């Protein structure tokens, strides 16, 4: 290899320049002319196997001219003939090529091939270094999966825009995709990633130049848009079509989103982070308790959030003060009016007044306190049974509810059995009610939970039966002692034929499997008589008794008589 003084000088200059600043086009021009190169470019078509962000260090956008899948560093416009190709590897995989093209008439034997190889190698190292810097810049400001801006970028952009355009009115929006898990269920995690990328790109198309979009992670996004554009954005995100996914071919998905909105800050006094917190709080409340697709952060919502925070802060002290207590709703044999059981329902008495369950149950559920609440009510229920026995009474079986959240509590079955033992009760004294609404990934855990309780002689009943998608599978596979027909079926009796057919079917199957049947929500005599005609003897509902406190439940045990149907 023999380099001319000009070539050496150009290489030395371009290496030093790359260490201090961006290489200018004139630097590319001069060095290519001295190496007799008419066109110099890198390809960026890595092929299907290697076209990924993780394995391709030259994917980031570059300042140089793009020509299809090429990054062109120099082109003097002349017609070329001879082309030399150089291959470079990353992690032992072929990932990029450089190309030197020469004017028509120049032959290989006219060139110093070793010098040209050295020139290409130097330029590849410089391009890789340059792109590494760009990758670092991109990683600081972009989402790794989708390539769209991240929260760092959108915060800076919002600050710049609101400073440059005083008085501009923007809303900040937090988006959470609805039922996105379905995409993963259909096509797997890779399909989910593809869908997120496609959704991100469409979301970017919805906003104007001075507006912003970013991905927070998972299926969560943040936007800020002009107030007058909110309606347009709301309509567009109401249903976004995701299609042509390689990992889920033939499937189209219409993606909707939960939206939380922080309305305009006309004086621009709030930081972006504060407005994002407002939008996030509205989104979470809409997705959770309110079940509303769009929620605006306002004074009323602020009051709700404050209430929820109070519930959370009051929870543990309330347990210590024994403010949570069971109220007992009777289960009655409709044929003879005898009391055959109670269901223990949670009530919270705080500072002399009752807090309604719909005020605190959703809040505690969202914040993962339900298992602790369930166990608290179970202990109080067992305490009540012990007191009745100490009074010389013979209380009926009392059922206590355990949410499916308990399925993942370590050793929950042992803890339930220990409580029964601690109060000197028999497993026959209690019954554990579980909801039928179980997801597929919870099914095996549920089977184990029930099996372990049954081994300890504890009765099991399935609550809200008939409302889930897997009712028949559940009743077939679970060794339950009783099923409770959901009130949504009972409400329509005696006139609704479909409800009658479904209830008759449930009763017939349960009888054959030697399970008892209880109808929930019986509120009038007509419903009771219809159920008796269909073969259901046991009812629970306001027709017989609302949920009552310990003292009133004691009176019901002592009298143990309701009017037969």
């Amino acid at each position: 290899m023999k380099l001319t003084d000009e070539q050496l000088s150009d290489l030395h200059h371009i290496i030093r320049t790359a260490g201090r600043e961006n290489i200018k086009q004139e630097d590319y021009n001069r060095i290519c002319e001295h190496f007799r190169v008419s066109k110099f470019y890198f390809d960026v078509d890595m092929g299907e196997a290697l076209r990924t962000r993780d394995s391709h260090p030259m994917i980031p956008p570059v300042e140089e001219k793009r020509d299809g899948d090429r990054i062109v560093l120099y082109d003097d416009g002349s017609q070329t003939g001879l082309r030399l190709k150089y291959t470079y590897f990353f992690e032992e995989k072929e990932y990029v090529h450089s190309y030197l093209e020469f004017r028509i008439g120049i032959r290989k034997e006219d060139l110093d091939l070793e010098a040209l190889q050295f020139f290409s190698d130097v330029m590849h190292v410089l391009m890789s270094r340059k792109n590494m810097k760009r990758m670092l810049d991109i990683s600081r400001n972009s989402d790794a999966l989708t390539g769209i801006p991240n929260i760092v970028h959108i915060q800076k952009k919002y600050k710049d825009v609101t400073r440059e355009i005083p008085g501009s009115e923007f809303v900040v929006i937090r988006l959470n995709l609805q039922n996105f898990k379905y995409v993963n269920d259909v096509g797997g995690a890779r399909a989910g990633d593809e869908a997120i990328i496609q959704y991100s790109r469409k979301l970017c198309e919805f906003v104007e130049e001075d507006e912003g979009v970013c991905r927070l992670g998972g299926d969560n996004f943040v936007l800020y848009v002009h107030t007058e554009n909110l309606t347009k954005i709301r309509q567009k995100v109401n249903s976004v079509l995701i299609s042509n996914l390689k990992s889920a071919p033939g499937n189209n998905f219409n993606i909707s989103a939960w939206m939380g909105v922080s309305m305009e800050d006309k004086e621009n006094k709030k930081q972006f982070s504060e407005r994002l917190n407002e939008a996030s709080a509205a989104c979470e409340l809409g997705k959770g308790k309110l079940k509303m697709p769009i929620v605006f952060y306002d004074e009323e919502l602020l009051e709700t959030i404050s209430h929820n925070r109070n519930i959370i802060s009051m929870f543990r002290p309330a347990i210590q003060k024994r403010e949570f207590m069971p109220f007992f709703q009777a289960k009655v044999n409709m044929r003879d009016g005898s009391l055959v059981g109670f269901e223990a329902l949670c009530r919270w008495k705080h500072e002399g007044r009752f807090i309604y369950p719909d005020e605190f149950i959703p809040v505690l559920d969202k914040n993962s306190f339900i298992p602790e609440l369930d166990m608290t009510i179970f202990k109080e229920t067992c305490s009540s049974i012990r007191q009745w026995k100490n009074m010389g009474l013979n209380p009926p079986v009392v059922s206590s509810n355990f949410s499916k959240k308990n399925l993942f509590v370590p050793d929950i079955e042992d803890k339930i059995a220990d409580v029964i033992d601690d109060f000197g009760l028999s497993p026959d004294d209690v019954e554990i009610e579980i909801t039928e609404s179980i997801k597929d990934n919870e099914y095996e855990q549920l089977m184990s939970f029930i099996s372990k309780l049954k081994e300890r002689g504890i009765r099991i009943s399935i609550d809200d039966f008939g409302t889930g998608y897997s009712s028949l599978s559940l009743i077939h596979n679970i060794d339950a002692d009783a099923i409770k027909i959901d009130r949504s079926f009972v409400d329509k009796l005696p006139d609704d034929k479909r409800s009658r057919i479904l209830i008759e079917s449930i009763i017939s199957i349960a009888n054959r499997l030697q399970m008892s049947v209880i109808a929930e929500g019986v509120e009038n005599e007509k419903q009771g008589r219809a159920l008796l005609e269909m073969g259901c003897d046991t009812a629970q509902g306001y027709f017989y008794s609302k949920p009552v406190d310990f003292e009133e439940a004691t009176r019901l045990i002592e009298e143990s008589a309701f009017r037969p149907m």
Side-chain angles (χ1 to χ4, degrees), residues 48-71:
E48 287 300 321
L50 297 176
R51 195 178 294 134
T52 66
R53 271 173 305 282
D54 295 334
S55 63
H56 189 334
M58 294 189 71
I59 277 293
V62 295
E63 297 171 5
E64 288 73 18
K65 178 182 176 184
R66 294 291 292 266
D67 178 13
D69 288 329
R70 299 173 176 179
I71 300 173

Side-chain angles (χ1 to χ4, degrees), residues 490-515:
V490 177
D491 283 344
K492 299 174 183 177
L493 293 178
D495 301 320
D496 187 78
K497 291 183 179 179
R498 292 174 66 89
S499 292
R500 291 184 69 98
I501 292 170
L502 287 169
I503 291 173
E504 285 175 344
S505 299
I506 292 171
I507 293 170
S508 175
I509 293 170
N511 287 339
R512 292 182 182 182
L513 294 173
Q514 296 182 323
M515 297 179 182

Side-chain angles (χ1 to χ4, degrees), residues 315 319 324 326 371-381:
F315 176 67
I319 287 182
F324 292 103
E372 192 172 350
L373 179 64
D374 287 346
M375 186 57 73
T376 297
I377 293 299
F378 183 61
K379 289 178 180 177
E380 294 292 341
T381 297

Side-chain angles (χ1 to χ4, degrees), residues 337-374:
S338 60
L339 177 67
V340 295
F342 280 126
E343 179 181 1
L345 299 166
C346 178
R347 295 294 184 266
W348 184 0
K349 191 174 185 179
H350 177 69
E351 296 181 352
R353 77 170 189 90
F354 282 100
I355 301 175
Y356 291 105
D358 60 358
E359 290 184 50
F360 66 86
I361 294 292
V363 179
L364 297 180
D365 188 21
K366 181 168 180 54
N367 289 275
S368 303
F369 290 130
I370 286 296
E372 192 172 350
L373 179 64
D374 287 346

Side-chain angles (χ1 to χ4, degrees), residues 182-188 191 194-195 198 240-255:
Y182 177 68
V183 179
N184 291 312
D185 290 343
V186 171
E194 289 181 56
Q198 191 176 136
V240 177
L241 177 63
I242 303 298
S243 58
N244 300 320
L245 301 180
K246 292 180 180 179
S247 301
N251 289 282
N252 293 330
F253 305 94
N254 285 294
I255 306 295

Side-chain angles (χ1 to χ4, degrees), residues 164-232:
E164 292 168 6
I165 316 174
S168 53
E169 296 180 1
F170 293 100
V171 295
V172 175
I173 304 168
R174 164 76 180 272
L175 292 182
N176 176 256
L177 306 189
Q178 295 183 10
N179 301 317
F180 190 76
K181 182 179 177 295
Y182 177 68
V183 179
N184 291 312
D185 290 343
V186 171
R190 191 171 182 82
D193 286 349
E194 289 181 56
I196 286 289
I197 293 169
Q198 191 176 136
Y199 185 90
S200 300
R201 291 172 180 169
K202 292 192 174 187
L203 203 57
C204 290
E205 295 171 1
F206 297 161
V207 300
E208 298 178 358
E209 187 174 346
D210 59 348
E211 298 174 337
V213 175
C214 84
R215 177 172 178 250
L216 275 183
D219 54 3
N220 295 286
F221 297 85
V222 176
L223 302 84
Y224 75 85
V225 300
H226 291 284
T227 303
E228 61 266 24
N229 290 338
L230 175 59
T231 301
K232 178 189 75 173

